[in-house]
Amino acid sequence: VDKAYDYFREITTLPTTPVDFRVSVSGLQGQQSKCRGIYLREPHHFKRSTHHLVTVDPCFPEDTSPRDKLDFTERITLVPTQPWVHSSKHIILASSGRQFSVTIDESGLEPGAHYAEVLGYGSREDKGPLFRLPVTVIMPTPLTDKFTFDCPQLQLSHSTIKRYFFHVPTEATWAELKFTSHNEVTRSKLWVHTIHLLPEKAYREKETLDSIILEPEASNTLIVPTVGGHTMELVVTQYWTEFHPLTVSFNVSFHSLRPSSNNFILHSNTSWTRLDVSCNYRLEELYPEFKLTHHCLARRPTEAVIKPLSNTRQVLIDGKQIYELRLTYNFYLSKTCEVRPNAHLLSDLLYESPFCGQLWMVYSSNKQLMGSGDAYPKNYSVKLDKGNYTVILQVRHATRSELESLKDLPITIEIKMPTYILVDISPTRCGQTKWGSTITARPGSTLPLYVFGPSDDRVSKSAGPNTSPGDFLTGTFTLSKNDLVKKKVVYPVQYILGPKASRGNSGPPKKKEKDYEGALKEFRLHWMSKGKVSPAELEEEFGDDLEFLMARLTMIEADKKNVWGEEVATIVSKIQSQVFNPSITEC
């Protein structure tokens, strides 16, 4: 404590510069934006020379004068903390910033995670570094053979974590992990955690966390989905209640039944869509299965309003006003079901989202709040009865122009269907033979699947009769016969609905309803023939109209008390002049 106190007293007397430093790295393969440090993990990071260009920019306080910025100069000494990191020795840093190169020599590193830093010291090294550049290198664990890794003995104790990194073979779609206990008496429980890091995706999208039970001298198998051509991190540890030491062995074997499309889309206007499945490493049992489970209503906003929020609470620290965009969507349900609103552009992003926040609320036609949710639509569902509903989506941002671009933001209302739809599959494009048995796929082979969309009757039975063009059905498809693989290796599928088939006459549709004027005319003539309306009231309007004249004859015929001989002759003469018109006869 005394030495720390003396150190603080010493450095407080030294002159300081109120300048921060921003460090960024460019040139990492597969990443377009600049990075905070150097992180080498994926196979393509090691295929080229690992030279990286680092930029250091000074960040001045807002009240710094231009003269002070021009006069700023700092001599920086660069010191790597590990011998496998090489950089320039010195740089002269001005207000415009400076670049230097860093080279990573990973050739002598052992498998596992390695960390180092490049420290930038000013004129007084005893004050500590002005900035730090983090460097992380993940070296893969070599496979025992091309597609397998064997660990004959692994010692585990309480709070011990064993970590492995594997470069997944390019065509692999899942890994089979087989653990064997070598304890003769004790029953054990393990946590097994795997993760892939993919660009522009949250880590949780390719993460698995499973617990397995190992009986004494017994084995247990776990299936883990993989992403070919990337690095998979495998972590094995004992459960927190396990205090006894454990000896296990495990095997990792990679398998491949790879579809030509990981996000399969069917369209109702095409008879079939082809999907190719390739088998690359070993014999696999192929049994494809496509299920459609949700009906999605596509909706555009009927109203979009942008307004500033409260100027006392909804204000950033620099005084910027926060605005809200309120979007209104309407939809109708023909039966009771569970719904899940989903704004795909904003979904599954919270802290990574460029917008301040998002919230959706579902209201009934009586303006009763039925449910609400936020950025993760899979966590929220609302059970609704038959009727009309309104979804209000609120999005916030400090820039009004950013919200203007979302005024036409579409959403989908995901409805869980009471019964799923099994899609027909055939090995031939004619569809005469349906896929009904398991096929053993040989390594290096590619098998075509012809997927046929469901009929309108099947769609109406599961999704209801009120489907419209633009709606779509979603579900999943699996390829393996193995039940464990079916649960873990799952791909999304969409079926886009088009116009329904029209059955009946192919001619022009009959006019079911007459226009208003025609219906009114027919109504008045009908009541005139019944004697309820005087013919004098309608004669000026209709005159020699054929329908009016025929109605007059009907009226005269119904009135048996009066003889209308002269009037009947006049009416008949007018009718004959129209019926036997020479121009009509010539036609």
Side-chain angles (χ1 to χ4, degrees), residues 477-540:
F477 73 92
T478 57
L479 298 175
S480 178
K481 179 67 174 178
N482 190 322
D483 291 335
L484 293 177
V485 179
K486 278 185 177 183
K487 294 179 181 179
K488 291 298 186 73
V489 186
V490 182
Y491 304 96
V493 59
Q494 288 186 5
Y495 177 62
I496 301 175
L497 300 176
K500 295 182 180 179
S502 57
R503 297 176 176 86
N505 297 329
S506 59
K510 295 181 180 180
K511 191 172 183 181
K512 295 183 178 180
E513 297 182 0
K514 297 183 179 180
D515 57 353
Y516 173 77
E517 296 295 337
L520 180 61
K521 175 185 174 182
E522 182 179 355
F523 175 80
R524 296 169 70 187
L525 293 178
H526 171 74
W527 285 105
M528 185 192 73
S529 64
K530 298 289 186 181
K532 302 296 183 180
V533 179
S534 172
E537 297 179 10
L538 305 180
E539 189 170 5
E540 292 184 3

Side-chain angles (χ1 to χ4, degrees), residues 318-584:
D318 57 357
K320 271 190 176 182
Q321 176 68 54
I322 297 179
Y323 296 86
E324 77 159 350
L325 169 63
R326 202 173 268 252
L327 300 171
T328 304
Y329 306 85
N330 298 318
F331 67 96
Y332 171 76
L333 295 179
S334 59
K335 55 185 176 181
T336 301
C337 54
E338 286 188 4
V339 303
R340 193 168 56 197
N342 189 352
H344 293 273
L345 180 65
L346 308 174
S347 294
D348 298 323
L349 292 176
L350 189 60
Y351 301 111
E352 309 96 334
S353 175
F355 297 93
C356 299
Q358 55 202 3
L359 176 70
W360 56 261
M361 295 158 284
V362 180
Y363 291 90
S364 67
S365 57
N366 299 322
K367 301 190 182 303
Q368 178 188 358
L369 178 63
M370 308 302 296
S372 59
D374 57 15
Y376 300 106
K378 293 182 179 178
N379 297 343
Y380 306 95
S381 62
V382 185
K383 189 172 184 179
L384 302 176
D385 296 327
K386 176 182 177 181
N388 292 296
Y389 294 91
T390 300
V391 176
I392 295 180
L393 174 65
Q394 182 203 53
V395 186
R396 299 187 304 162
H397 200 273
T399 306
R400 187 184 183 97
S401 59
E402 292 290 337
L403 296 177
E404 291 280 353
S405 63
L406 298 182
K407 276 192 168 183
D408 295 324
L409 178 69
I411 68 168
T412 58
I413 310 297
E414 300 178 3
I415 304 172
K416 185 177 181 180
M417 296 188 295
T419 56
Y420 62 82
I421 301 175
L422 273 178
V423 180
D424 293 332
I425 309 168
S426 174
T428 61
R429 61 179 294 171
C430 296
Q432 296 175 348
T433 358
K434 304 300 180 185
W435 200 291
S437 60
T438 303
I439 289 183
T440 301
R442 297 183 176 278
S445 62
T446 299
L447 302 175
L449 305 180
Y450 292 90
V451 187
F452 293 80
S455 64
D456 290 347
D457 294 337
R458 295 176 65 190
V459 172
S460 298
K461 184 177 179 181
S462 296
N466 296 326
T467 58
S468 58
D471 295 352
F472 57 95
L473 308 182
T474 61
T476 58
F477 73 92
T478 57
L479 298 175
S480 178
K481 179 67 174 178
N482 190 322
D483 291 335
L484 293 177
V485 179
K486 278 185 177 183
K487 294 179 181 179
K488 291 298 186 73
V489 186
V490 182
Y491 304 96
V493 59
Q494 288 186 5
Y495 177 62
I496 301 175
L497 300 176
K500 295 182 180 179
S502 57
R503 297 176 176 86
N505 297 329
S506 59
K510 295 181 180 180
K511 191 172 183 181
K512 295 183 178 180
E513 297 182 0
K514 297 183 179 180
D515 57 353
Y516 173 77
E517 296 295 337
L520 180 61
K521 175 185 174 182
E522 182 179 355
F523 175 80
R524 296 169 70 187
L525 293 178
H526 171 74
W527 285 105
M528 185 192 73
S529 64
K530 298 289 186 181
K532 302 296 183 180
V533 179
S534 172
E537 297 179 10
L538 305 180
E539 189 170 5
E540 292 184 3
E541 182 176 352
F542 297 112
D544 294 341
D545 183 80
L546 186 60
E547 293 182 8
F548 171 72
L549 297 175
M550 293 298 297
R552 287 285 292 121
L553 284 179
T554 304
M555 179 180 177
I556 294 171
E557 184 181 30
D559 190 1
K560 298 180 179 179
K561 297 180 181 180
N562 300 316
V563 179
W564 302 55
E566 184 177 349
E567 186 176 357
V568 171
T570 304
I571 294 174
V572 170
S573 175
K574 291 180 179 180
I575 294 175
Q576 288 178 342
S577 64
Q578 293 189 45
V579 175
F580 299 103
N581 192 321
S583 60
I584 298 177

Side-chain angles (χ1 to χ4, degrees), residues 252-282:
V252 181
S253 58
F254 293 98
H255 296 252
S256 173
L257 275 179
R258 190 179 186 88
S260 56
S261 174
N262 289 338
N263 192 356
F264 193 63
I265 298 178
L266 289 165
H267 203 289
S268 62
N269 291 338
T270 58
S271 300
W272 51 262
T273 304
R274 174 168 170 157
L275 179 71
D276 291 328
V277 180
S278 58
C279 176
N280 297 279
Y281 302 145
R282 60 189 88 235

Side-chain angles (χ1 to χ4, degrees), residues 7 32 41 76 81 84 147 155 186 227 263 287 341 354 359 414 456 472 567 573 586:
Y7 172 75
Q32 298 180 356
R41 174 190 177 101
I76 305 293
T81 59
W84 43 271
F147 315 117
Q155 300 288 341
T186 314
V227 181
N263 192 356
Y287 186 80
L359 176 70
E414 300 178 3
D456 290 347
F472 57 95
E567 186 176 357
S573 175
E586 290 176 2

